[in-house]
Amino acid sequence: MNDNKKVPQYELLIDGKWVTPESGQYSTILNPATEEVIAHVAAGSEKDVDTAAKAARAALKVWNGITAAERGRILNRLADLLEKNQEELIMLESMNAGKPIASVRRQDMPAAIDTLRYYAGWTDKIIGQVIPARTDALTYTVREPVGVVGAIVPWNFPLMIGIWKIAPALACGCTLVVKPAELTPMTAIRIGELALEAGIPPGVLNIVTGKGSVVGDAMVAHPQIDKITFTGSPKVGRGIMQGAAVNFKKITLELGGKSANIIFDDADLDSAVRGSASGIFFNAGQVCSAGSRILVHKKIHDEVVDRLIERAKHIRIGDTASDDTIMGPLVSRNQMNTVMDYIDIGKKEGACVAYGGQRVGDKGFYVSPTIFTDVQHEMRISQEEIFGPVASIIPFEDEEDAIRIANGTAFSLAAGIWSADVTRIHKVAHELRAGTVWINTYGYTDVRLPWGGTGESGFGREHGEAALENFTEPKTIWLSLLKR
């Protein structure tokens, strides 16, 4: 960025207006590919959260005073505006999060639009039931909005996961206070602008940027925020659970992963290696469901390692604005240092770096695709989430051994199986402790299919009809038919 070019400054969206933060402070946003300053963004405070929560509380009556069908039309208008402005949003996401522009155009942007349109179709289909409990009463249920939702969005997919939270909450009649990740707030700010243009009433969608330790903690503690939906690390998830316990706030947590990608000796190795490489190196490994543990049958171990190294050598790393770039930088210097620390840990534990293991260049937070061999299941690099482009190759003896290793972590978000044996596929898929199991593919998601895990991977489900449970409360209504 030209030093003479003025860096833009962005405020908080509260009650339909862009307002300066109570603290008067702003954070500096970098492009992780170049380390250049791209924006100054308002640093929200506890007081700002209080103002936003009260605005969202007041807007509940307004938002639910609109017919469900009209709410759906508004969400579709927002989807239209995302589509109309998609090149700007793609550029912002790429520049702010360090994502290759081609991958944002291929995945993140279409998924965000699809999510809005999917939940726009749900607004007038959230129904209760008539349950004939007694002959002397009319008994039925309705589903009501849970209320004000605090949505805390991660930095790895800020656009896509932001919409994953916003769309179903709005469809259910909830209002929101959204906290984008401190590092990657740019697309959320733009979505706030487009939401107003789409006709979402003031106070229904509030955007409060800032630190998690300030804004996020204030949201968890605020008595007028009824629900927290969070995607991020298990450490922060534990803190949210502890904070929410004070006022019994409802929470949904989508946390980490250490997913196993199992390659049996009868697999199509071309597909398996291609899918496994994508499964760990996509988005520079900054994916909660990344297939970071590649479990390989001992008969084909060496061949798979050789093939993975060959694929890693051909991953184009560099300018995120280029359509030819496959892998971009990590999101920040801190994340880069964390990944490099784990690479050092793996070496000290006795694992072998078969490929990569270095920082790439001296500008931007790039780390090469890294492949470890001689990995023992108990090693930290096999047990702990690295959140970078680091694959651990672990040999196994048979199905039981593969299942044992795959299930041998605290995480349970996803897993992959590569095999031509249909009986084996079904047996192993049922044995794996994972919210999603991919078979002869890896990494795909769709808004129509539930997404989530258990244990250190969190609880609750996003996507599909299951997400409506996150943002509604069932109410029983009992009408006596007895004459008095």
Side-chain angles (χ1 to χ4, degrees), residues 7 68 112 128 185 214 218 234 351 368 405 443-444 467 469:
V7 176
V214 178
S368 63
I405 296 170
Y444 287 95
E469 301 290 329

Side-chain angles (χ1 to χ4, degrees), residues 467-478:
L468 304 178
E469 301 290 329
N470 297 334
F471 304 110
T472 58
E473 290 273 28
K475 176 184 282 186
T476 295
I477 298 176
W478 185 304

